[in-house]
């Protein structure tokens, strides 16, 4: 039995100065290993989740399953979804850095809302991600911890 499929993501993302995403062109490459096994449906799931929880008005995703000389990879929990979502979080971090904005601000700006349509035309009904996001920020004391980290780093860089 192989391991989880390693993915490589290459992307171009269009965004405004405030961090609002307007377009995404992403290519996923997965290491299937030396046999196909379940690599194709894992890639399909990775592309299904290429937006993670973010509304992107113009989106294109392409996936390549790559045969290599390594042992075959197989399915794990998430079935390609985590790989697609982690690639999304990478470009989201890049946007925050480029805009000089806090990453949580850029994420919140782009998050799906109740009633939105996904890139595969699913209408989001009973959608609780916004509430979950806010609860996580509050229950983790995110703002306080972020301030403590910034203060710690400021004291150490002087």
């Amino acid at each position: 039995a192989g391991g989880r499929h390693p993915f490589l993501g290459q992307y171009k993302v269009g965004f405004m100065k405030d961090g609002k995403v307007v377009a995404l062109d992403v290519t996923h490459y997965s290491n299937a290993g030396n046999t196909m096994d379940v690599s194709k449906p894992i890639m399909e799931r990775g592309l299904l989740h290429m937006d993670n929880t973010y509304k992107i008005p113009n989106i294109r995703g392409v996936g390549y399953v790559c045969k290599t000389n390594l042992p075959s990879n197989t399915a794990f929990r998430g079935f390609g979804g985590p790989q697609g979502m982690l690639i999304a979080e990478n470009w989201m971090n890049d946007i925050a850095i480029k805009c000089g904005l806090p990453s949580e601000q850029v994420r919140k700006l782009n998050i799906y809302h109740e009633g939105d349509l996904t890139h595969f035309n699913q209408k989001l009904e009973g959608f609780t991600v916004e509430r979950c996001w806010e609860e996580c920020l509050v229950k983790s004391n995110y703002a306080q911890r972020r301030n403590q980290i910034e203060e710690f780093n400021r004291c150490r860089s002087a």
Side-chain angles (χ1 to χ4, degrees), residues 2-4 6 30-36 66-73:
R4 186 182 297 274
S30 74
N31 177 348
N34 60 8
T35 64
M36 183 62 81
C66 305
K67 183 176 180 178
T68 68
N69 65 335
L70 299 173
S72 179
N73 288 303

Side-chain angles (χ1 to χ4, degrees), residues 28-143:
H28 292 178
Y29 299 89
S30 74
N31 177 348
N34 60 8
T35 64
M36 183 62 81
D37 196 344
V38 291
S39 298
K40 186 177 176 188
I42 286 170
M43 176 57 73
E44 290 170 350
R45 181 63 62 92
L47 290 169
L48 185 72
H49 291 290
M50 67 184 165
D51 58 341
N52 197 359
T53 59
Y54 306 113
K55 183 171 178 63
I56 307 162
N58 303 288
I59 187 168
R60 179 176 68 168
V62 177
Y64 295 99
V65 176
C66 305
K67 183 176 180 178
T68 68
N69 65 335
L70 299 173
S72 179
N73 288 303
T74 191
F76 280 79
R77 288 183 298 258
F79 215 76
Q83 292 95 318
M85 290 184 266
L86 285 171
I87 292 168
E89 291 306 317
N90 277 295
W91 52 256
M92 191 57 72
N93 280 339
D94 288 347
I95 293 169
I97 290 167
K98 184 73 173 176
C99 292
L101 297 169
S103 60
E104 69 276 11
Q105 179 180 328
V106 175
R107 284 178 169 84
K108 184 175 181 176
L109 177 66
N110 288 287
I111 205 163
Y112 277 122
H113 300 286
E114 175 74 19
D116 283 344
L117 289 176
T118 65
H119 65 93
F120 49 91
N121 288 321
Q122 177 183 1
K123 185 175 183 181
L124 300 173
E125 298 175 327
F127 191 67
T128 61
V129 168
E130 287 179 276
R131 186 188 79 216
C132 180
W133 173 258
E134 294 301 326
E135 284 180 20
C136 286
L137 291 176
V138 170
K139 288 183 177 183
S140 70
N141 296 317
Y142 184 86

Side-chain angles (χ1 to χ4, degrees), residues 147-158:
N147 289 337
Q148 290 171 339
I149 291 166
E150 288 173 359
E151 179 61 27
F152 178 87
N153 289 337
R154 202 173 12 262
C155 291
R156 302 305 183 274
S157 65

